[in-house]
Amino acid sequence: MDNTSMVQRSLRHVWHPCTQMKLHESQPLIPVSRADGVWLHDFEGHRYLDGISSWWVNLFGHNHPHIRAALIDQLGRLDHVMLAGFTHQSVVELSEKLAQLTGLGHAFYGSDGASATEIALKMSAHYWRNTGRPGKCRFVGLAGGYHGETVGALAVTDIAIFREAYAPLVRLAATVPSPDARCARPGESAVDVAGRAAGALQAWLEQHHAETAALIVEPLVQCAAGMAMHDASYLRGVRALCDRYEVHLVVDEIATGFGRTGTMFAHQQAGIRPDFICLSKGLTGGTLPLSAVLTTDTVYQAFYDDDVARGFLHSHSYTGNPLACRAALATLELFEQNDVLAGNVAVARSLTAAFAPLTAHPRVRNARQLGMIWAWDVADALPGFSRRYYQHALAQGVLLRPIGNTIYAMPPYVMDEESSGFLARGALAALQATLAEEAAHG
Ligand SMILES: *Cc1c(COP(=O)(O)O)cnc(C)c1O
């Protein structure tokens, strides 16, 4: 098998995600034959450093021996069983562990992030219906929020390019201002921006709390909006407002969970307890699709009844799939076996040092970092910057995919000195090449 034939066959029959397929007439598809650690290998001996953890899912590198061994063992015991009326060891142990880690004791499973969003929204509205307040059935999210792209999830995803074509299908949620620290006015700190955004939410809730079921937020980092970061005080503010106005707080930790922001879950840096937590992506260490929604005893009890219709009758065929749950357990075991969060502090320090020349580049603005996420905005980039940068990065052997004019890195946690240097040099060289190309073609 060679690269060319794999690409041709793919373009003939595979419809790729988040892609204008015609673009592949000029921008080649990258065929991957295997992956190991931080590296993706093609069929002809080239390799690419996975600088964005394959869309933010990978934590401990590809083909991790511990996760692989657990999956092979699980496959020999139980591949799959439906979770209605049945249960199994992996889903029980995973649910116990997630309850321990989050303090929310009831786990409902889906297969991807968007379905976790929809589960949380449905559960919230159904909770209010079961408790005699069926009018509380609308949602509010943040400007630039991203919670997935199925029709229900698009209601709370405020990213025009993902939503515009489907606007007539979507029952749009309300949008309140983002606490993005880059919105600071002269003299304002990140805390001030957070306070201002919380004030806007308060004004909105004052008017609309009676018809509002839940607020959904991405805690600390709105990743898809271009790694927009905010101060933790915002989360304390919204928790207090949600309590005061009797609105659920859903934290979407799909991208920020599992150590990505420095703590196991981002909302923990604010010391708050949400009503719902959505998890996916890193949950299985990047091996298998799985998502979970965790919630409180209070929510759970509102569904517990002799009346079938008061139950949460949602399901997916693969809900609680044993292989995916076992991969998640093996991933959590890695957190227990090694002090991953402490180790990441050292990894992050050395990466920040390696990125210093990129951070100091004269066209870079708003360099920012939290945990294992780095981002840089490029001033005066021309339209198409993201696509051109991506190509130049690949030529350097690194996978980096800017969002608009924001370059970001979200690498696996197993970066060492050598791979960190490789990634940082590639990121800088790609910027230089992209800007040179823009200058030449104006
Ligand atoms: C990726 C993501 C989702 C959607 O997850 P999918 O598995 O792609 O459906 C939802 N919320 C956040 C914050 C995400 O980053």
Side-chain angles (χ1 to χ4, degrees), residues 56 112-114 146-148 218 252 254-255 281:
W56 322 342
D112 50 51
Y146 182 91
H147 303 285
E218 296 158 85
D252 178 348
I254 289 167
K281 292 202 167 112

PDB file of all heavy atoms in Angstrom, residues 56 112-114 146-148 218 252 254-255 281, ligand 1:
ATOM      1  N   TRP A  56      -7.850  16.904  19.893  1.00  0.00           N
ATOM      2  CA  TRP A  56      -7.956  17.092  21.346  1.00  0.00           C
ATOM      3  C   TRP A  56      -8.363  15.830  22.115  1.00  0.00           C
ATOM      4  O   TRP A  56      -8.772  15.924  23.265  1.00  0.00           O
ATOM      5  CB  TRP A  56      -8.941  18.246  21.688  1.00  0.00           C
ATOM      6  CG  TRP A  56      -8.896  19.416  20.762  1.00  0.00           C
ATOM      7  CD1 TRP A  56      -7.897  19.738  19.889  1.00  0.00           C
ATOM      8  CD2 TRP A  56      -9.887  20.434  20.584  1.00  0.00           C
ATOM      9  NE1 TRP A  56      -8.199  20.897  19.199  1.00  0.00           N
ATOM     10  CE2 TRP A  56      -9.423  21.335  19.601  1.00  0.00           C
ATOM     11  CE3 TRP A  56     -11.128  20.671  21.176  1.00  0.00           C
ATOM     12  CZ2 TRP A  56     -10.153  22.449  19.184  1.00  0.00           C
ATOM     13  CZ3 TRP A  56     -11.850  21.787  20.754  1.00  0.00           C
ATOM     14  CH2 TRP A  56     -11.371  22.658  19.774  1.00  0.00           C
ATOM     15  N   ASP A 112     -20.521  10.294  21.778  1.00  0.00           N
ATOM     16  CA  ASP A 112     -19.676  11.412  21.328  1.00  0.00           C
ATOM     17  C   ASP A 112     -20.082  12.655  22.089  1.00  0.00           C
ATOM     18  O   ASP A 112     -21.075  12.654  22.830  1.00  0.00           O
ATOM     19  CB  ASP A 112     -19.818  11.635  19.819  1.00  0.00           C
ATOM     20  CG  ASP A 112     -21.272  11.708  19.411  1.00  0.00           C
ATOM     21  OD1 ASP A 112     -22.018  12.473  20.022  1.00  0.00           O
ATOM     22  OD2 ASP A 112     -21.643  10.971  18.487  1.00  0.00           O
ATOM     23  N   GLY A 113     -19.327  13.713  21.899  1.00  0.00           N
ATOM     24  CA  GLY A 113     -19.561  14.934  22.658  1.00  0.00           C
ATOM     25  C   GLY A 113     -20.919  15.556  22.389  1.00  0.00           C
ATOM     26  O   GLY A 113     -21.623  15.974  23.315  1.00  0.00           O
ATOM     27  N   ALA A 114     -21.300  15.616  21.112  1.00  0.00           N
ATOM     28  CA  ALA A 114     -22.580  16.248  20.782  1.00  0.00           C
ATOM     29  C   ALA A 114     -23.737  15.527  21.460  1.00  0.00           C
ATOM     30  O   ALA A 114     -24.679  16.163  21.956  1.00  0.00           O
ATOM     31  CB  ALA A 114     -22.781  16.268  19.268  1.00  0.00           C
ATOM     32  N   TYR A 146     -19.050  26.369  21.835  1.00  0.00           N
ATOM     33  CA  TYR A 146     -19.083  25.196  20.949  1.00  0.00           C
ATOM     34  C   TYR A 146     -19.452  23.974  21.774  1.00  0.00           C
ATOM     35  O   TYR A 146     -18.762  23.651  22.752  1.00  0.00           O
ATOM     36  CB  TYR A 146     -17.720  24.959  20.278  1.00  0.00           C
ATOM     37  CG  TYR A 146     -17.756  23.777  19.338  1.00  0.00           C
ATOM     38  CD1 TYR A 146     -18.075  23.938  17.992  1.00  0.00           C
ATOM     39  CD2 TYR A 146     -17.522  22.486  19.807  1.00  0.00           C
ATOM     40  CE1 TYR A 146     -18.146  22.851  17.134  1.00  0.00           C
ATOM     41  CE2 TYR A 146     -17.588  21.387  18.957  1.00  0.00           C
ATOM     42  CZ  TYR A 146     -17.897  21.573  17.618  1.00  0.00           C
ATOM     43  OH  TYR A 146     -17.976  20.501  16.782  1.00  0.00           O
ATOM     44  N   HIS A 147     -20.534  23.311  21.399  1.00  0.00           N
ATOM     45  CA  HIS A 147     -20.964  22.146  22.162  1.00  0.00           C
ATOM     46  C   HIS A 147     -21.337  20.977  21.258  1.00  0.00           C
ATOM     47  O   HIS A 147     -22.023  20.052  21.686  1.00  0.00           O
ATOM     48  CB  HIS A 147     -22.134  22.528  23.075  1.00  0.00           C
ATOM     49  CG  HIS A 147     -21.788  23.653  24.009  1.00  0.00           C
ATOM     50  ND1 HIS A 147     -20.981  23.479  25.119  1.00  0.00           N
ATOM     51  CD2 HIS A 147     -22.076  24.980  23.974  1.00  0.00           C
ATOM     52  CE1 HIS A 147     -20.821  24.639  25.742  1.00  0.00           C
ATOM     53  NE2 HIS A 147     -21.459  25.569  25.066  1.00  0.00           N
ATOM     54  N   GLY A 148     -20.878  21.011  20.001  1.00  0.00           N
ATOM     55  CA  GLY A 148     -21.150  19.923  19.074  1.00  0.00           C
ATOM     56  C   GLY A 148     -22.064  20.378  17.953  1.00  0.00           C
ATOM     57  O   GLY A 148     -22.565  21.508  17.959  1.00  0.00           O
ATOM     58  N   GLU A 218     -18.291  26.256  28.563  1.00  0.00           N
ATOM     59  CA  GLU A 218     -17.009  25.554  28.502  1.00  0.00           C
ATOM     60  C   GLU A 218     -16.127  26.214  29.561  1.00  0.00           C
ATOM     61  O   GLU A 218     -15.770  27.378  29.411  1.00  0.00           O
ATOM     62  CB  GLU A 218     -16.369  25.733  27.127  1.00  0.00           C
ATOM     63  CG  GLU A 218     -17.148  25.120  25.982  1.00  0.00           C
ATOM     64  CD  GLU A 218     -16.775  25.765  24.647  1.00  0.00           C
ATOM     65  OE1 GLU A 218     -15.777  25.337  24.043  1.00  0.00           O
ATOM     66  OE2 GLU A 218     -17.485  26.697  24.230  1.00  0.00           O
ATOM     67  N   ASP A 252     -19.400  21.946  30.164  1.00  0.00           N
ATOM     68  CA  ASP A 252     -18.968  21.096  29.060  1.00  0.00           C
ATOM     69  C   ASP A 252     -17.448  20.955  29.165  1.00  0.00           C
ATOM     70  O   ASP A 252     -16.706  21.843  28.747  1.00  0.00           O
ATOM     71  CB  ASP A 252     -19.394  21.740  27.736  1.00  0.00           C
ATOM     72  CG  ASP A 252     -18.940  20.931  26.523  1.00  0.00           C
ATOM     73  OD1 ASP A 252     -18.118  20.004  26.702  1.00  0.00           O
ATOM     74  OD2 ASP A 252     -19.390  21.244  25.403  1.00  0.00           O
ATOM     75  N   ILE A 254     -15.779  18.577  27.741  1.00  0.00           N
ATOM     76  CA  ILE A 254     -15.426  17.618  26.686  1.00  0.00           C
ATOM     77  C   ILE A 254     -13.991  17.852  26.199  1.00  0.00           C
ATOM     78  O   ILE A 254     -13.236  16.898  26.003  1.00  0.00           O
ATOM     79  CB  ILE A 254     -16.462  17.699  25.541  1.00  0.00           C
ATOM     80  CG1 ILE A 254     -17.792  17.109  26.033  1.00  0.00           C
ATOM     81  CG2 ILE A 254     -15.973  16.981  24.285  1.00  0.00           C
ATOM     82  CD1 ILE A 254     -18.991  17.400  25.147  1.00  0.00           C
ATOM     83  N   ALA A 255     -13.612  19.116  26.051  1.00  0.00           N
ATOM     84  CA  ALA A 255     -12.238  19.418  25.614  1.00  0.00           C
ATOM     85  C   ALA A 255     -11.316  19.701  26.807  1.00  0.00           C
ATOM     86  O   ALA A 255     -10.118  19.434  26.744  1.00  0.00           O
ATOM     87  CB  ALA A 255     -12.236  20.609  24.664  1.00  0.00           C
ATOM     88  N   LYS A 281     -14.039  13.060  24.381  1.00  0.00           N
ATOM     89  CA  LYS A 281     -12.661  13.280  23.931  1.00  0.00           C
ATOM     90  C   LYS A 281     -11.631  12.495  24.752  1.00  0.00           C
ATOM     91  O   LYS A 281     -11.468  11.310  24.536  1.00  0.00           O
ATOM     92  CB  LYS A 281     -12.368  14.778  23.878  1.00  0.00           C
ATOM     93  CG  LYS A 281     -13.166  15.477  22.760  1.00  0.00           C
ATOM     94  CD  LYS A 281     -12.570  16.793  22.305  1.00  0.00           C
ATOM     95  CE  LYS A 281     -13.218  17.260  21.012  1.00  0.00           C
ATOM     96  NZ  LYS A 281     -14.045  18.444  21.115  1.00  0.00           N
TER      97      LYS A 281
HETATM   98  C1  LIG B   1     -15.468  18.571  20.556  1.00  0.00           C
HETATM   99  C2  LIG B   1     -16.427  19.215  21.480  1.00  0.00           C
HETATM  100  C3  LIG B   1     -17.783  18.839  21.510  1.00  0.00           C
HETATM  101  C4  LIG B   1     -18.381  17.854  20.545  1.00  0.00           C
HETATM  102  O1  LIG B   1     -17.842  16.585  20.649  1.00  0.00           O
HETATM  103  P1  LIG B   1     -17.983  15.575  19.402  1.00  0.00           P
HETATM  104  O2  LIG B   1     -17.478  14.286  19.917  1.00  0.00           O
HETATM  105  O3  LIG B   1     -17.128  16.149  18.315  1.00  0.00           O
HETATM  106  O4  LIG B   1     -19.423  15.554  19.044  1.00  0.00           O
HETATM  107  C5  LIG B   1     -18.598  19.450  22.436  1.00  0.00           C
HETATM  108  N1  LIG B   1     -18.111  20.364  23.284  1.00  0.00           N
HETATM  109  C6  LIG B   1     -16.835  20.752  23.295  1.00  0.00           C
HETATM  110  C7  LIG B   1     -16.363  21.761  24.284  1.00  0.00           C
HETATM  111  C8  LIG B   1     -15.945  20.209  22.371  1.00  0.00           C
HETATM  112  O5  LIG B   1     -14.672  20.634  22.334  1.00  0.00           O
END
